[in-house]
Amino acid sequence: MEKNVRVRFAPSPTGPLHVGGVRTALYNYLFAKKHNGTFILRIEDTDAGRLVPHAETYILESLAWMGITPDEGIVEGGPYGPYRQSERKDRYMRYAMQLVESGHAYYAFDTPGELEDMRERLKEARVITPQYNAITRTSMKNSLTLPAEEVKERIESGIPYVIRLKVPRKEEIRLNDMIRGWVMVHSSTLDDKILVKSDGMPTYHLANIVDDHLMEITHVIRGEEWLPSAPTHVLLYKYFGWEESMPKFAHLPLLLKPDGNGKLSKRDSQKHGFPIFPIEWQGQDGEHLIGFREEGYLPEAMTNFLAFLGWNPGTEQELFTEQELIESFSLERINKAGVKFDINKAQWFNQQYIKAKPDDELAEFLFFYLEKAGIAASQEKVARVCNQLKERVTLIPDLWQQGCYFFVAPEQYDQNIVNKRWTVEATNVLSAYAQALQQRTESLSAAEASDTLHQVLEAQGVKIGRVMQAVRLVITGVGNGPDLMEIIAIIGKEETISRIHNALKQLENQVKI
């Protein structure tokens, strides 16, 4: 009988969560939901020297914004907790001792200076990658080379030591990765990884294997950067006698720079001016990194975008609801090769989701900017503005940047339009238009605004193309935007008349004869 699917996302709280980590969490989440399984959030915080105090909170807030909700974890709890590795310290040493007693691990007492001397000797011997391994350990200070009595005395006297995995010298290690197929590595290329550090804390290699086993993880879905560690993990499963319950592995492709030349990094984000973190990060050292949320991306658009960074559904469909992603997702359709990070595609997804969002929901975003500017407006007006702008914007802040003239009369006017279109003919039409509007009802419709303008144009014998940009200019200050008659209907008759008079007065000396 096949086990119920159990997967985990296990970040280290050492800094902001990179978008690659968010994609890993998303793939685990989609896989769990597809198979009616369990998605677990585990915090791997055993490296005390690198921990950042508020990074764990950042991880939780990032996942919450994305809608990636764990079934078990540090907040939700669960039967396999605790879910912070720092709270599971005692059990790791117990399992490390099991390996020592079975001959698959050993104590090593080498000082930092002795390790550096070893590396220098190997470099002089032209060894490309100096390692503490099956060959070099025979000349080092460890429980394989020291008498048992001396080993015991050293431990009892408190001399610092680490526990290392005893990697066999000549063995082929095989792993059937769900994305990459069979991966085969010869043990001679591996080093004797440290399992327990001198402070008594486990390394990633020991802790994640023990936790995955105890939490009954069925699939380990993680980044390609962990593929070189996989043979070590396979050995640990073997030495613990857990081969039958070893999870299936799936190593995800790297996220690459936009040009495909290397792994996507924070430096690329800063260089090209796009975010690579889900939400804003404020470092203790004053570092400030903008997030997708603050840039104005919708979480559902980011979900869709990230899902396609390495996976494809095998169809032409690009826009997916979360439920559709869950139903379509499979590890078999994840690419092996790295995938370029294309911010233009992210913007395209965001455009599509903004277009599809109900006006009232978009209005909540625009209200944020109105409140910051100290502007009061009705729900109805703000929703109508969003309806006019949603086809034109890419990011949420564009609603305000491109639509502020719905709420604030222009104080400046596009000089290029003034130079080209601000004529005596235009000013005559605008003066007459203001007078004609005065006769209209206060609740002016777009159709009524248009009819009134055409009546004025007909009376003056002017074609609309000769003055339309000038009319738009006095209302908005710019030369393009949504349907002008809809803008007039939204801002109202009196505001429209006021703007015409202000513009005529301000620009009277710039009229082209």
Side-chain angles (χ1 to χ4, degrees), residues 426-447:
T427 61
N428 290 338
V429 168
L430 282 162
S431 295
Y433 189 40
Q435 292 175 8
L437 285 174
Q438 196 70 61
Q439 309 305 314
R440 289 286 188 174
T441 60
E442 187 62 37
S443 56
L444 188 70
S445 70

Side-chain angles (χ1 to χ4, degrees), residues 199-445:
D199 63 359
M201 290 298 284
T203 62
Y204 170 83
H205 303 291
L206 176 65
N208 103 90
I209 294 301
V210 170
D211 286 345
D212 285 349
H213 174 73
L214 295 180
M215 293 181 182
E216 298 187 11
I217 300 301
T218 59
H219 298 78
V220 171
I221 305 168
R222 59 188 180 184
E224 182 183 326
E225 62 270 23
W226 291 110
L227 187 57
S229 300
T232 297
H233 300 166
V234 170
L235 281 179
L236 282 168
Y237 277 106
K238 176 182 177 181
Y239 294 159
F240 279 126
W242 300 337
E243 283 181 290
E244 291 300 315
S245 61
M246 183 173 72
K248 296 177 181 178
F249 289 91
H251 289 89
L252 307 175
L254 290 176
L255 293 189
L256 304 176
K257 301 172 189 281
D259 62 4
N261 186 25
K263 185 178 178 181
L264 183 69
S265 69
K266 181 171 67 176
R267 184 176 299 175
D268 300 308
S269 167
Q270 295 167 332
K271 178 181 178 181
H272 298 290
F274 58 74
I276 60 165
F277 300 102
I279 62 177
E280 181 181 46
W281 169 262
Q282 293 280 2
Q284 290 181 306
D285 56 358
E287 180 182 45
H288 175 244
L289 302 171
I290 197 72
F292 281 98
R293 181 179 65 183
E294 291 70 31
E295 278 279 284
Y297 288 83
L298 297 172
E300 53 267 43
M302 287 305 300
T303 295
N304 207 149
F305 169 63
L306 289 178
F308 273 71
L309 284 182
W311 170 84
N312 73 83
T315 67
E316 296 298 314
Q317 183 179 350
E318 289 189 280
L319 298 174
F320 284 74
T321 65
E322 180 182 300
Q323 190 55 43
E324 287 173 331
L325 280 175
I326 290 169
E327 292 170 1
S328 302
F329 186 77
S330 70
L331 295 176
E332 289 73 21
R333 296 208 64 85
I334 293 177
N335 304 322
K336 297 178 186 178
V339 56
K340 294 179 184 178
F341 185 85
D342 184 356
I343 194 64
N344 293 322
K345 194 66 176 180
Q347 292 174 353
W348 179 85
F349 273 111
N350 211 54
Q351 284 178 314
Q352 308 314 307
Y353 278 88
I354 287 177
K355 287 179 187 178
K357 210 163 189 62
D359 298 338
D360 285 338
E361 290 185 31
L362 280 180
E364 295 306 310
F365 293 108
L366 185 49
F367 267 119
F368 169 78
Y369 296 98
L370 292 172
E371 288 169 9
K372 283 181 67 175
I375 297 171
S378 68
Q379 175 73 27
E380 179 190 5
K381 178 178 178 178
V382 177
R384 287 177 71 187
V385 171
C386 289
N387 178 267
Q388 292 301 305
L389 293 172
K390 63 197 296 185
E391 294 283 337
R392 309 178 66 86
V393 302
T394 299
L395 303 171
I396 290 298
D398 297 342
L399 291 170
W400 170 247
Q401 292 164 8
Q402 295 185 29
C404 59
Y405 52 73
F406 280 97
F407 307 95
V408 181
E411 296 179 358
Q412 295 180 324
Y413 303 90
D414 186 321
Q415 196 59 45
N416 288 330
I417 305 297
V418 172
N419 294 339
K420 293 177 182 177
R421 299 295 184 182
W422 194 246
T423 63
V424 171
E425 189 175 51
T427 61
N428 290 338
V429 168
L430 282 162
S431 295
Y433 189 40
Q435 292 175 8
L437 285 174
Q438 196 70 61
Q439 309 305 314
R440 289 286 188 174
T441 60
E442 187 62 37
S443 56
L444 188 70
S445 70

